[in-house]
Each structure stands twice: as C-alpha cells, then as structure tokens.
Amino acid sequence: MEKIGRNDPCWCGSNRKYKMCHLNRGAEPPVPFGAIISRTMADAKLEHCLHPQAARGICNKVISAHTIQRSRVLDRIVDPENHVSTFFSQHTDFSADGPKLFKIGWREASTFTGFCSKHDSTTFRSLETKEFDGSLEHCFLIGYRALCHEIHQKSRMLRSQQTFLSLVDRGLPLEAQLEMQRMGSAQDAGFRKGLEDFGRLKSIMDEQLLKGSYSGWRRTVVYFKGPLSVASTGAVSPNRDLDGNELQVLHNPDALAEELLFGVVATEDGGAAVFLCRSDETAPQSLSVCCAMRGGFAA
C-alpha cells in the first residue's frame, strides 16, 4: 500500500483516486450496519418494465407488481390483521439464531417494481383470471414472473454494490479491508454472471411469450390438499440435490448455469408447487423430480 500514490487509482477497484477512497480508511469512524443497509437500499431503487416490448410511450406507470398472487395466494395465508410473515426483508436479521420472521401488509408483500401496470395486467391475465390448471401456459407464466423478479433483484444489488463497499470497511484494519473488498469483488462477479445466465434464459422466454408458444420446457407440479400456509417463488441454479449429490458446477465462469424456476399457487382444495426448467437441462430436472417424489414443497 505504501507504493500507491495519493492520486493513483485505489487498490479496491472503485475507479476513484486512492486519496478519495481507501487512504486512511482504517481511521474513519465505523458506520452502523443499519445505516449501511438503509443507504444501500436507497441506492438500489430501480423501476423498469421487463416486458420484451417495454418502451417509452408504450409503458405506463411502473407498479409494485406481485411475484406471488395477491388475490389467489396471499389472501389464503393472511392473518386477521391483513399481514403475512416473511423472511424476505431488507431488515432481515441473520443472527446466530438464524433469520427472523417479519410481518408485512399483504398488499406490499412479495412485490417488485419490474413491470408497468399495462404489461403486468396483460402478461399474466390468464393466470390471474382462471383457476390454475397445471397447463404449460400457466406454469410458464409462473416461471417467467419468478425469473423477472430475480433479474430485477440482481440488477438492484449491482446498482448498490459500490455504495455498500464504500461503507462496510470503514474503521477496519487493512487486513479486514482487503478481505471485505475481496469478498465484495467476488459477489459483484457473481451478480454479473447470474444476470448473464438469467438474461440468456429470459431472451428465450421473451420470444415464446410474444408468440404464445411454450415448447422446450419441462414442468413438474406437486399438488397438495389442505389449507395453504406457505408461499414462495424464485429462480435458482441448483448445484446439489436433496441427498447432496452434485448436479452442476457453478464456479465455472465459462459455463452457462442451468436454472430452475418455481412458484406456489392456490388450487380449489389446497395448492401446488410448480417447477419449470428447459427440457434439455438435467440439473434442474433432477432437483424438481426429487422434490416431487418427496413432496418437498407440500407445506
């Protein structure tokens, strides 16, 4: 560090001069973690429409679109005060006892600013106006919304990553600063790789969405009876099955990750967990079949 000039680029890769970045960083007062999260979340704000035909003059107001159906799913698990419990919160406390549940109003639960009201309504109309029937169209729409949510979240994290790294190591010794920035660099690369892989999958889904043709997909639907108590949605790159067997290697930057899209929906006598993946990809198929055989999502 002694060889870095004050006006040289900082060693952390921020593209700022050393004197404006990490010079004397260890002598700065630490920033409370809550303040770091607040600043990071403020800089992560992102409003955009992810529909393939989104454009200025076509899209109207971007809304807080639900990733989990509000009128068909969330209303099944709401408490008497119109709240649902969630682990998914910007204030999640990952303490030694594990993540804690937070209560949130059901209208605000599981939302993201990833669609304008026009495209949110037209894109998912079939899923919102008809009972879930297990059709490829319904499963495709569940997977598409889950994928768009993941792309939105990773895009937000990339926007705020530099803010987080500029605050998290203040007041720490040099060795800890190096470790924090190294971890941040690895996380940044992971976000970018995830967006690249998800973007590849979204380009396929965008084309099929516009054509109304959903070939090349494998769906697994686990039905269960009784009151719906848990709902979830997302897109993951499974690297191991429920027995710990390796399905794919995720740390190869040159390989495209195979993705599994999933979501929980309500049915007349209970609910269903929906898994969707490309029919030529073995890793997500192996996990979805394993979950189906064990009823892993029949909560």
Side-chain angles (χ1 to χ4, degrees), residues 26-249:
E28 297 178 4
V31 181
F33 189 70
I36 295 175
I37 295 300
S38 295
R39 276 283 304 278
T40 302
M41 290 298 101
D43 288 351
K45 185 177 180 180
L46 177 62
E47 296 182 355
H48 57 169
C49 181
L50 290 169
H51 190 274
Q53 293 181 331
R56 182 175 297 178
I58 296 179
C59 297
N60 47 19
K61 182 180 179 181
V62 172
I63 63 171
S64 294
H66 281 271
T67 60
I68 298 174
Q69 294 171 291
R70 180 168 65 89
S71 61
R72 291 176 178 265
V73 178
L74 292 179
D75 63 352
R76 301 275 191 96
I77 59 176
V78 69
D79 67 15
E81 298 177 346
N82 289 326
H83 288 86
V84 295
S85 297
T86 178
F87 292 109
F88 188 76
S89 168
Q90 66 185 58
H91 304 296
T92 295
D93 177 17
F94 290 95
S95 64
D97 297 327
K100 292 180 171 54
L101 282 170
F102 291 84
K103 284 193 174 184
I104 187 173
W106 74 305
R107 293 182 182 275
E108 292 77 40
S110 189
T111 60
F112 72 117
T113 49
F115 284 101
C116 69
S117 59
K118 172 184 176 180
H119 285 129
D120 184 59
S121 174
T122 58
T123 302
F124 305 106
R125 179 174 295 150
S126 174
L127 192 61
E128 298 293 340
T129 59
K130 300 177 182 178
E131 291 292 333
F132 175 74
D133 57 12
S135 65
L136 184 54
E137 179 189 16
H138 277 186
C139 294
F140 178 91
L141 292 177
I142 291 170
Y144 185 72
R145 183 151 52 187
L147 180 65
C148 288
H149 177 248
E150 292 290 342
I151 289 174
H152 177 79
Q153 290 299 101
K154 281 182 168 53
S155 299
R156 290 179 67 242
M157 295 307 297
L158 272 176
R159 286 170 62 94
S160 62
Q161 183 75 345
Q162 194 56 52
T163 298
F164 179 79
L165 292 177
S166 71
L167 299 173
V168 72
D169 62 356
R170 294 190 180 186
L172 297 180
L174 179 58
E175 292 79 6
Q177 295 176 36
L178 289 166
E179 181 63 16
M180 284 289 187
Q181 296 298 323
R182 184 195 66 79
M183 292 174 60
S185 178
Q187 189 177 48
D188 186 88
F191 288 146
R192 295 183 186 279
K193 180 62 167 61
L195 275 175
E196 177 185 341
D197 292 342
F198 283 145
R200 182 264 311 182
L201 188 58
K202 186 174 183 294
S203 65
I204 296 173
M205 300 189 84
D206 283 344
E207 182 177 355
Q208 293 185 321
L209 178 73
L210 296 178
K211 292 181 178 180
S213 174
Y214 313 113
S215 61
W217 293 93
R218 178 188 176 96
R219 68 191 188 276
T220 301
V221 182
V222 182
Y223 291 93
F224 51 94
K225 295 182 178 181
L228 189 65
S229 59
V230 176
S232 182
T233 186
V236 295
S237 308
N239 64 327
R240 294 190 181 276
D241 63 18
L242 298 182
D243 294 318
N245 300 310
E246 188 172 68
L247 299 176
Q248 62 177 322
V249 177

